[in-house]
Amino acid sequence: MLITLLNIIAPIAITVFVVGVGLRLGRFVMALLTKRRFRGISPTFESPPPRLGFWQSLTAVLFGPYQHFYRRANPVWGRGYLAYHVAIITEVIGYSISALIVFANILLGRPIPDVSLHLEHSFNYTPANLLAIIFGNGEELQSRFLFGDFAPYFVGITWVAVIFAVIGNLHLMMVLLRRWSGAVVNDIDPPAHRIRTPGRRPFDRVLIRTIIFCIIWTELLARLQLVPGIVYVHSLLGLALFTLLPFTYLFHMVYNFLAVFYATRRRMARTIA
């Protein structure tokens, strides 16, 4: 039943994703084109601060907010944020590489595994089977097909990512359940002693976090081969997250590279303190 459901909804989900990302990126590009460009500090500025190097600016963009604010204001959220992003970046890279390998084999007309029948060679190009290979890249059959002799190393690396994902999402779920999302629960510095701000429990974050939480545990069950066919539940949840991405806060995963690039340039030009 899950296989049939995946085969039906996968083309619809991919279409919704492509249209949604296209609309959001179109608005983002228009905003960049119509926005005035920052040219750095005014040449008439007295004693302007020196320009920063690229790596120094990139480090400030990536780690500055955590070091200066989140680690102090909300350490539970800060630890979860770091662990989760180590996991999600590793997992997304793994899924992307897996998808490229699968579709390259299809374009070349080569056989791929049939996950439901546990066959190493088949021409089952149905969406459900493709998703089971991509999202189940940590399982023995799929990893051996995707990465050959490198499969044990890939599985080992992604096991580390899964552990980070479990730790990070436990922290972030705790934050949401305690309504600490966006809250200041600790002293930031001496002048802000005992200053607190209440948190929120936004519906979209609760929904997304719950889906991600279930994705992690279904991946654990699939890797440990404790529940037969659980990879299809894992794939269905992954597809649901994929579909929601353009319409929720997860969209930052798409434009984050551009955002980091422009933020780094602004740091280098010292238009950000």
Side-chain angles (χ1 to χ4, degrees):
M1 181 178 177
L2 273 177
I3 294 176
T4 303
L5 182 63
L6 278 170
N7 286 332
I8 294 172
I9 68 173
I12 301 172
I14 293 172
T15 302
V16 172
F17 171 82
V18 171
V19 172
V21 168
L23 292 174
R24 292 290 299 273
L25 278 181
R27 293 173 57 188
F28 187 74
V29 170
M30 289 299 297
L32 288 177
L33 292 176
T34 57
K35 191 175 182 179
R36 293 182 61 185
R37 294 183 178 180
F38 288 95
R39 300 186 181 275
I41 300 170
S42 171
T44 59
F45 190 88
E46 185 177 353
S47 301
R51 292 175 64 90
L52 295 178
F54 171 78
W55 293 111
Q56 188 178 1
S57 299
L58 181 63
T59 301
V61 169
L62 294 178
F63 300 105
Y66 171 77
Q67 294 174 339
H68 300 147
F69 181 77
Y70 298 119
R71 178 172 58 86
R72 303 172 186 176
N74 198 330
V76 176
W77 187 90
R79 289 193 298 269
Y81 177 85
L82 284 183
Y84 166 74
H85 276 84
V86 169
I88 196 66
I89 291 170
T90 307
E91 291 285 347
V92 168
I93 291 173
Y95 290 144
S96 300
I97 294 173
S98 301
L100 289 174
I101 294 172
V102 168
F103 289 115
N105 278 272
I106 292 174
L107 289 175
L108 295 173
R110 294 175 179 172
I112 61 174
D114 188 314
V115 177
S116 63
L117 299 177
H118 303 286
L119 295 176
E120 291 191 11
H121 304 288
S122 78
F123 289 90
N124 184 358
Y125 294 162
T126 59
N129 192 53
L130 300 182
L131 290 170
I133 296 173
I134 295 168
F135 285 109
N137 58 14
E139 298 181 51
E140 183 179 358
L141 175 64
Q142 294 95 307
S143 63
R144 189 168 61 248
F145 160 73
L146 291 167
F147 304 105
D149 293 337
F150 186 73
Y153 303 100
F154 173 82
V155 173
I157 293 170
T158 50
W159 260 119
V160 175
V162 171
I163 292 170
F164 270 94
V166 171
I167 295 171
N169 275 274
L170 284 173
H171 279 71
L172 295 176
M173 285 295 288
M174 183 189 302
V175 166
L176 280 175
L177 293 176
R178 299 187 70 172
R179 204 184 289 271
W180 280 2
S181 180
V184 174
V185 298
N186 276 5
D187 292 342
I188 301 173
D189 49 30
H193 180 58
R194 292 187 178 179
I195 293 179
R196 302 290 184 265
T197 58
R200 303 172 297 116
R201 193 183 293 151
F203 171 76
D204 62 333
R205 291 184 180 269
V206 174
L207 174 64
I208 296 300
R209 187 59 49 201
T210 303
I211 293 175
I212 293 174
F213 196 74
C214 294
I215 286 174
I216 292 168
W217 288 101
T218 53
E219 177 160 358
L220 277 172
L221 294 173
R223 282 173 174 248
L224 296 173
Q225 299 180 359
L226 295 177
V227 181
I230 195 70
V231 67
Y232 294 106
V233 179
H234 180 66
S235 301
L236 184 62
L237 291 168
L239 191 63
L241 200 66
F242 187 73
T243 308
L244 291 171
L245 188 146
F247 312 104
T248 63
Y249 72 92
L250 285 178
F251 187 69
H252 77 274
M253 293 175 63
V254 175
Y255 70 74
N256 200 46
F257 295 101
L258 283 174
V260 169
F261 171 75
Y262 279 102
T264 302
R265 286 190 61 189
R266 293 180 68 192
R267 289 271 184 179
M268 291 174 66
R270 301 307 294 269
T271 54
I272 298 178

